[in-house]
């Protein structure tokens, strides 16, 4: 019902624990089915720098953190992303680095490989970038890594 009548969906789902589960996959499966049923094409999805193929581009310190503490969350996220990529949706899969609770800085940059970007950004700047993707075609069916 939440999808019915909407033009687009913004997903900011994150893991609730470090335990192994399939919550993100379940969310994505149900979301994609609801989008198809109600004719909603655009989804702006919050992922993470280090998910999927971007794992090869994260800074070493973050990679160690991902491999140990966040391994289950990233495994679930990777499978959910694969479902989205296989769909016919007009997704934008946003991949920020570490999120900071500080005032917005602006001047967010995006890239496919993260080169030259700092691996941290404010939550406010992340939100602004994601909202902009609701009407922009720049990153449709892509996974931009974002930072400063």
């Amino acid at each position: 019902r939440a999808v019915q009548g909407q033009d687009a969906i913004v997903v900011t789902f994150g893991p609730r624990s470090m335990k192994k589960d399939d919550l993100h996959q379940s969310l994505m499966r149900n979301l994609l089915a609801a989008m198809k049923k109600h004719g909603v094409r655009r989804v702006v999805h919050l992922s993470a720098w280090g998910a999927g193929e971007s794992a090869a581009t994260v800074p070493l310190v973050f990679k160690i953190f991902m491999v140990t503490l966040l391994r289950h969350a990233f495994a679930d996220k990777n499978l959910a992303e694969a479902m989205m990529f296989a769909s016919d949706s007009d997704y934008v899969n946003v991949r920020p680095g570490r999120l900071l609770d500080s005032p917005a800085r602006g001047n967010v940059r995006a890239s496919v490989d993260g080169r030259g970007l700092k691996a941290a950004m404010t939550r406010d700047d992340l939100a602004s970038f994601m909202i902009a993707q609701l009407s922009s075609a720049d990153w449709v069916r892509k996974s931009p890594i974002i930072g400063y």
Side-chain angles (χ1 to χ4, degrees):
R1 287 179 282 169
V3 173
Q4 186 175 7
Q6 303 305 315
D7 295 322
I9 307 297
V10 175
V11 179
T12 59
F13 179 82
R16 301 257 188 241
S17 78
M18 298 301 124
K19 296 178 182 176
K20 186 176 183 178
D21 63 37
D22 66 350
L23 286 176
H24 205 140
Q25 295 169 70
S26 295
L27 168 78
M28 188 60 68
R29 185 179 310 104
N30 290 318
L31 177 64
L32 291 170
M35 288 174 62
K36 188 170 191 145
K37 177 180 179 180
H38 296 293
V40 178
R41 302 261 330 130
R42 178 69 60 102
V43 58
V44 178
H45 175 255
L46 174 60
S47 184
W49 191 354
E53 77 286 349
S54 75
T57 69
V58 295
L60 181 60
V61 172
F62 190 66
K63 194 176 290 192
I64 292 168
F65 182 66
M66 286 173 17
V67 168
T68 55
L69 276 173
L70 300 175
R71 70 185 177 278
H72 297 306
F74 272 86
D76 186 33
K77 185 175 291 293
N78 290 342
L79 292 169
E81 281 188 358
M83 287 180 207
M84 184 176 59
F85 298 159
S87 77
D88 65 353
S89 69
D90 292 335
Y91 67 82
V92 179
N93 188 51
V94 181
R95 290 177 168 165
R98 185 172 58 98
L99 299 176
L100 307 173
D101 292 323
S102 54
R105 290 179 41 184
N107 298 317
V108 172
R109 296 184 307 133
S111 103
V112 293
D113 61 12
R115 283 193 192 136
L117 298 180
K118 294 186 181 191
M121 70 178 315
T122 70
R123 294 176 192 279
D124 287 346
D125 284 333
L126 167 62
S128 294
F129 183 87
M130 290 182 74
I131 290 167
Q133 301 318 301
L134 292 170
S135 59
S136 172
D138 293 346
W139 293 100
V140 172
R141 296 197 59 82
K142 296 178 184 168
S143 296
I145 296 171
I146 61 172
Y148 303 113

